[in-house]
Amino acid sequence: MTAGNEQYKIQQSYLYLDRCCELISEKMGNTTIASWSNGEYIKLSGLLYRNTAVQISPSTLKRIFGKVKTTERYYPQKATRDALAQYAGFSNWDRFVSEQNNTIPINETGTSILVDRPLINPPASASPSRKSRIKRYRIIIVLLAIGAALLLFRQITKTKNSSAPDLAGAKLICKNPIGENPHSAEFIVRLPDQFSGDTSKFKVDFDDRRSEKNVPANKTFTYYYELPGSHYAILKYDGVPVDTAVILLRTNGWNATGVMQHDTTRVYPLTEFIIDGVKPLTVT
């Protein structure tokens, strides 16, 4: 409690507040405060404003009358208490207290003899409330869960990285990279001695519009190129590019090739022929 809003530390002050609430409830029809609905608090807020010109919101009235429970006993500021006392029939709060002084004894159970019910929302004890303990436990559980998730992620990442093979020394070598068209190129995939990966995951994209093909490691294999020009064969491991080899198919001047009908996978060099002593110009 702070001195700024004149909250008191003695139990008698709360009993005065309870007694004032009882008098207000009697003025409104002597209904039981515990049974008040939201409508009663809205109605009381309007009555207080019309009678005292002091605006007290329904939510504040709920805290004063104990409808809304708080961890610490709520004690309203002086202007609010004056308005409550005025509506109860007194000039101000001090006048109300002076007339109630020594008339609200406290029994052993902490209950006022004049107010036949426990104190409205009695002061909280020094020990933390059940809600605050539950909230603290939830925060601890969330922090532990986050920590466990981070450790699991770190372990998975570490395992994944440790299982990745070392591809730094992997090379795709073409033994005869330069040739005429067509050309049967010889390749070999050289791997470092410490390579520990899965050799079946090696594929080569031969850059001739065909699909990638699995290739052996440390063994010579051939691939038949049928179109002239430069080709860039790409070695891949599990879909990741590792190395590139360049193959050049040269031609002596113009080189004509043809495609057989209904056969889109191969091209064939055309035999040179002369008509009336003139060599026709033929292109691919």
Side-chain angles (χ1 to χ4, degrees), residues 2 7 28 33 45 86 93 113-114 132 137 141 144 151 176 185 201 222 229 248 263 277:
T2 61
Q7 293 186 5
M28 292 185 65
I33 294 176
S45 177
Q86 290 174 23
W93 179 260
I113 294 176
L114 295 180
S132 63
Y137 293 152
I141 292 173
L144 290 175
L151 288 175
N176 54 342
K201 293 184 178 181
T222 61
L248 176 62
D263 186 352

Side-chain angles (χ1 to χ4, degrees), residues 204-278:
V204 173
D205 178 358
F206 291 97
D207 188 29
D208 65 347
R209 301 179 183 178
R210 303 184 200 178
S211 61
E212 300 176 354
K213 292 185 178 181
N214 288 93
V215 295
N218 297 318
K219 291 183 180 180
T220 301
F221 57 91
T222 61
Y223 190 80
Y224 190 70
Y225 284 98
E226 299 171 332
L227 292 175
S230 299
H231 299 273
Y232 297 87
I234 303 175
L235 175 66
K236 297 181 180 180
Y237 181 83
D238 200 16
V240 178
V242 177
D243 193 27
T244 303
V246 181
I247 300 90
L248 176 62
L249 274 66
R250 298 182 300 187
T251 60
N252 185 12
W254 289 93
N255 192 345
T257 57
V259 180
M260 294 185 65
Q261 188 177 9
H262 306 305
D263 186 352
T264 60
T265 61
R266 299 179 64 84
V267 295
Y268 304 90
L270 299 178
T271 303
E272 180 179 273
F273 60 94
I274 300 176
I275 302 176
D276 296 333
V278 178

